[in-house]
Amino acid sequence: REQLEIIEEAMSKCVQIPMENYPLRHHFANGMYAREIFMPTGTLITGRIKKDDYLSVISQGEVYEATEHGAQHIKAPYTFSCGANSKRLVYVLQDCVWTTIHKTDETDIDTIVEKLTHPSYENIIDEEVSL
């Protein structure tokens, strides 16, 4: 976690590409939400920390992914499950389409982000302490 936070802190000091440059598509079906993002070659990106387990599908491209549990080289097509409270650092080696699939009845995107993710590891600790 510490290494990911150090990298993310360094990234925050670099020029940021607006999210509008990463086309998003949102899909809803019977208590499920899928968030599909296009990430161009050469992109270095970190995601928010998901509160619950979810599925990831890389349907196009190639990435190098690092989490607190290690790193891996992934080529599409690739589908995998992701554990709660994990963060990903992704370097896009070849234009990538990555979809995450979550269980929720929410349909408002801002509410989904708020209910399903933590902005930082500090928020996880704060929530655990308040329980």
Side-chain angles (χ1 to χ4, degrees), residues 97-122:
V97 175
W98 189 315
T99 305
T100 58
I101 303 165
H102 309 268
K103 180 181 176 186
T104 183
D105 289 318
E106 292 293 338
T107 56
D108 178 76
I109 302 304
D110 292 334
T111 303
I112 289 171
V113 169
E114 180 184 326
K115 288 189 172 187
L116 298 184
T117 68
H118 298 286
S120 70
Y121 286 115
E122 289 176 358

Side-chain angles (χ1 to χ4, degrees), residues 53-115:
D53 296 346
Y54 63 100
L55 296 174
S56 278
V57 178
I58 299 175
S59 55
Q60 174 187 322
E62 182 178 351
V63 301
Y64 185 75
E65 173 212 50
T67 70
E68 63 189 88
H69 304 292
Q72 63 179 333
H73 177 220
I74 303 171
K75 282 183 160 185
Y78 189 71
T79 301
F80 57 107
S81 58
C82 305
N85 297 330
S86 61
K87 185 172 194 65
R88 296 185 144 56
L89 170 72
V90 174
Y91 179 69
V92 181
L93 299 166
Q94 184 181 61
D95 286 358
C96 177
V97 175
W98 189 315
T99 305
T100 58
I101 303 165
H102 309 268
K103 180 181 176 186
T104 183
D105 289 318
E106 292 293 338
T107 56
D108 178 76
I109 302 304
D110 292 334
T111 303
I112 289 171
V113 169
E114 180 184 326
K115 288 189 172 187

Side-chain angles (χ1 to χ4, degrees), residues 9-74:
E9 175 64 25
M11 288 170 59
S12 73
K13 295 175 183 169
C14 297
V15 174
Q16 301 294 303
I17 298 171
M19 279 306 296
E20 297 82 47
N21 290 24
Y22 301 96
L24 280 174
R25 295 179 63 199
H26 305 281
H27 309 275
F28 301 91
N30 195 27
M32 293 179 288
Y33 163 64
R35 179 181 183 273
E36 179 183 85
I37 186 170
F38 171 80
M39 299 178 290
T41 300
T43 302
L44 181 64
I45 191 167
T46 58
R48 287 179 61 102
I49 303 160
K50 310 303 187 294
K51 293 180 179 179
D52 298 310
D53 296 346
Y54 63 100
L55 296 174
S56 278
V57 178
I58 299 175
S59 55
Q60 174 187 322
E62 182 178 351
V63 301
Y64 185 75
E65 173 212 50
T67 70
E68 63 189 88
H69 304 292
Q72 63 179 333
H73 177 220
I74 303 171

